[in-house]
Amino acid sequence: MEFKLTKEQELIQKTARDFADRSIEPAIDHIMKEHAIPQEILDGMKELDLFCLPISEAYGGAGAGYQSYVLALEQIASVSPGVAIVISVNCFGLAALEMFGSEEVKKRYMPGACTGKNIMSIAMTEPEGADPRLVKTTAVREGDEYVLNGTKRFITACGYEGPLVIFARESDTGQICGFVVEKFCEGYSISEPWDKMGLPGTPMYDVYLKDVRIPVGNMLGELNQGFRILKNSIALGKIGISSIFLGTILAAYEECMKYAGERIYLGKPLTQFQYVQGDIVDIAMKYEAARWLAYRLGYLADMNEDKGNIIKDSALTKMFVTNTAVEVARSAINIHGSYGLMENYKVSRIWRDSIFGPQTEGTNALLRSVVAMDILKRSK
Amino acid sequence: MEFKLTKEQQLIQSVARDYAEKAIAPLIEEIVEKNEVPDEIIDGLKDLDLFALPISDEYGGAGAGYASYVLAEEQLSRICPGVAVIVSVNNVGAAAMSIFGTEEQKKKYLPMGTTGSGVFSFAFTEPGTGSDPKQITATADRDGDYYVLNATKRFITNSSYEGPIIVFARDTETGHINGYIVDKFCEGYSISEPWKKMGVRGAPLYDVYLKDVKIPKDNILGGPGQGFWILKVAMALGKIGISSIFLGAMLAAYEEGLTYATAKTHRGAPIAKFQAIQMAIADMFMKYEAARWMAYRIGYLADNAQDKGDILKDSAAAKIFITETAIDVARIALNIHGSYGLMEDYKISRVWKDVIFGSQVEGVSHLLKVLIAGEILKG
Ligand SMILES: Cc1cc2nc3c(=O)[nH]c(=O)nc-3n(C[C@H](O)[C@H](O)[C@H](O)COP(=O)(O)OP(=O)(O)OC[C@H]3O[C@@H](n4cnc5c(N)ncnc54)[C@H](O)[C@@H]3O)c2cc1C
Ligand SMILES: Cc1cc2nc3c(=O)[nH]c(=O)nc-3n(C[C@H](O)[C@H](O)[C@H](O)COP(=O)(O)OP(=O)(O)OC[C@H]3O[C@@H](n4cnc5c(N)ncnc54)[C@H](O)[C@@H]3O)c2cc1C
């Protein structure tokens, strides 16, 4: 066991934090008001390789692995979880291409999303729900092409150009498979953005595919491999979400330390009161617990070629980190008194953002059942 | 980062697990009933080098480090936290001596707690305080080449075994708090009736009385005035033991909950088929994983810290988290058992009585928070 960052990991962590502090922080008001990330922030992150950390260099990625990815996302999310979500969806999509795409697909789509202007999206959720068994979108084989039709809900980054990995039911096998579609191709359209209450910067839309035609080669993996792709994808998304809400916890902790040190109450700073000390320590302690689970998940992802092997660990980590983020946000507000409810204070934002964790990438209720089934299967 | 046990660590973990299952588990009823661990278990642990894992092999220890110690304590405690507490207190005393003792002290005393026939005690708590060294009332009067000690120490583990006890007392001349090395059962040493404690059976607690106990002036641990430093180091290391022990108790609770969920049937199918029970299982496991890596990490930190006192903040945070989580997990496991969980036929009833000890020893949770806050705020 070795609970220590390598020099490279420390460097990436610091690079991400510096960028977030210097370039994202000053733009936070803009991001909140416009509900959009300024282009120069996206460009800046691409230049620093922060958009493709775990992706191999062969296709334009940084080749830095998932541990570094977790560290970087945490830091960026501590300033703006909205920005971090875009990175995580992009890396999620890239990883799916890297693992299951044909050489041609990888060469065509990956470099643009690593360092170019493109951003990837992933579309699983539908109006009926996020469970893959509910997928109604169809991909009908017609000669050398697939014809896709369907509606996808709550899709991140689908307003940017770039490839979209979409899960649909393949006509010959009846299985759920992943297909690569170029956003804004013929037949692609999106709804008005949803009015979501937190995570500003990443508008979500519904995506409509109407007779979208793609070459057969744009199907990921072989026929009948859909299940493997799904399992890998389930784990991949949770690495991103775990890192992002770890960043939320970190932000809450930092805000409380600052506030409790500055705020004078009955003639002394809040830090002199034992109940405030207790709250701060609870946050610090929960951060430690969440942190090492999240870093471990990065480690497991680096060690497992087949990310399907880490579904259980990714699910329990995601549950733990996101539940903890909500608890921590609660006590952070508490320390701030009524000031915490004012938008001048970052904790008000943290409160709104934190609740997104348990609800996305599989609700925590659903994930508990994933973890339990795995345990029960093994204990037989 | 590397979240994987070394081969050696895996081996130590499995040796401890096997020993606990084969040698301790069959005697558990007797241990609980008598609140006493049979001597052959202590001997067996010594034979397997499990009694003093982090102590240097130069003095009879295993020299295996704290990461291994955490793994072994977890496994011992999974079967019997009482045994693990005996081991843990022995190691706090032995480690304090390893770090602060003179060569002569180490040669004389350490082997007693590693391969010999003794067990270390560490006596800080008094009737007046278990938390605040400034309130210590035990006294050490300098008398020529000797100190004369007078004290009442409360809740002292291992105090009925032979071997050294490190007693914290105030030098009446200088006012310093120092750790003094006393041979248990020397003249003037006596113990009370055992306290009737409801859990962690097997590791009885006694009050220790020192009445005009005379020790050579060299039996002071570290230099004069180093008592606070020694206490800080001992507190940091003691919390590693407690964290591992209640991680083990948590593991036991989880396993009991899981076993019951798959064995107990309703309308012909195990209750594990209900989503409510599945949630309970997933929650227990998730909490165990979070606690586990915190515990393993403080083992790692201890192995890599020059001054073990430096890890006090981390070991205190881990200790609070793990001991509170052990209570949560036991609560969930008990819930899965319905009313059966309240019956002594079911192990979970014993675990329930054990888990509450974690948050009350080695610094009460909320007091520790005050202490960690101090460290955090210092920056
Ligand atoms: C900010 C944000 C970004 C997102 N980005 C994307 C994206 O890029 N791509 C994408 O595909 N999706 C995206 N989503 C969608 C998100 O992943 C899903 O909304 C989420 O997984 C939950 O699905 P649902 O809302 O349909 O809930 P449902 O699946 O309909 O669940 C409804 C309720 O039923 C419970 N439930 C469901 N199944 C079970 C079960 N088996 N046992 C017990 N209870 C159960 C759930 O816990 C929940 O309480 C995003 C969502 C947000 C908020
Ligand atoms: C199984 C077991 C084994 C033990 N083994 C040993 C042993 O081997 N050696 C030994 O020396 N002791 C041992 N003890 C004693 C144990 O370490 C102490 O009892 C424990 O540290 C708490 O001390 P106390 O009960 O005197 O509480 P006190 O110190 O009296 O505290 C009482 C309450 O006041 C709170 N409090 C105190 N100070 C503050 C403050 N400044 N701010 C806020 N709150 C405060 C505490 O948190 C607690 O809630 C053992 C106890 C048990 C149960």
Side-chain angles (χ1 to χ4, degrees), chain A residues 380, chain B residues 257-274 277 336-338 340 346:
Chain A
K380 275 207 183 103
Chain B
L258 180 59
T259 307
Y260 192 82
T262 50
K264 168 84 175 178
T265 57
H266 267 221
R267 298 191 191 172
I271 56 170
K273 77 167 197 291
F274 296 119
I277 301 289
I336 293 175
H337 281 74
Y340 290 91
Y346 290 84

Side-chain angles (χ1 to χ4, degrees), chain A residues 85 89 121-131 133-134 152-157 196 198-199 202 204 356 359-367 369, chain B residues 275 279:
Chain A
I85 280 252
V89 168
S121 291
I122 287 264
M124 165 67 75
T125 310
E126 297 194 359
E128 300 261 311
D131 191 315
R133 284 170 299 192
L134 300 172
K152 292 288 180 181
R153 177 140 293 169
F154 297 149
I155 306 306
T156 303
K196 67 189 204 312
L199 292 190
T202 51
M204 291 187 320
F356 277 68
Q359 309 306 113
T360 54
E361 270 295 328
T363 59
N364 284 0
L366 173 68
L367 295 185
S369 131
Chain B
Q275 282 201 336
M279 284 191 198

Side-chain angles (χ1 to χ4, degrees), chain B residues 347-368:
Chain B
K347 178 175 172 182
I348 193 64
S349 69
R350 177 152 49 79
V351 176
W352 180 251
K353 287 181 278 181
D354 290 340
V355 285
I356 194 65
F357 277 67
S359 59
Q360 307 308 110
V361 297
E362 270 289 335
V364 181
S365 291
H366 62 250
L367 172 64
L368 282 184

Side-chain angles (χ1 to χ4, degrees), chain A residues 1-2 4 282 288 368, chain B residues 1-2 4 283 300 369:
Chain A
M1 291 183 282
E2 165 93 44
K4 211 176 109 201
D282 280 344
E288 283 297 321
R368 276 154 124 188
Chain B
M1 293 184 274
E2 163 92 44
K4 211 176 104 196
D283 281 351
Y300 167 85
K369 289 183 186 177

Side-chain angles (χ1 to χ4, degrees), chain B residues 100 139 186 202 271 318 323 335 355:
Chain B
F100 294 98
T139 54
C186 64
I271 56 170
T323 56
N335 201 26
V355 285

Side-chain angles (χ1 to χ4, degrees), chain A residues 201-212:
Chain A
T202 51
M204 291 187 320
Y205 310 81
D206 287 357
V207 168
Y208 311 114
L209 298 190
K210 196 161 165 25
D211 294 332
V212 167

Side-chain angles (χ1 to χ4, degrees), chain A residues 1-4 67 253 257 271 274 277 281-282 285 288 292 296 299 316 319-320 368 372 375-376, chain B residues 1-4 254 262 278-279 282-283 285-286 289 293-294 297 300 317 369-370 373 376-377:
Chain A
M1 291 183 282
E2 165 93 44
F3 293 80
K4 211 176 109 201
Q67 294 171 68
Y253 173 67
M257 287 291 283
T271 48
Q274 285 196 346
Q277 293 175 350
V281 169
D282 280 344
M285 180 183 83
E288 283 297 321
W292 295 102
R296 174 170 169 266
Y299 170 82
L316 76 87
M319 280 195 287
F320 186 85
R368 276 154 124 188
I375 292 171
L376 290 168
Chain B
M1 293 184 274
E2 163 92 44
F3 293 82
K4 211 176 104 196
Y254 163 68
T262 50
Q278 290 171 7
M279 284 191 198
D283 281 351
F285 186 71
M286 176 186 77
E289 279 293 320
W293 295 101
M294 272 191 115
R297 174 166 171 265
Y300 167 85
K369 289 183 186 177
V370 173
I376 294 178
L377 295 168

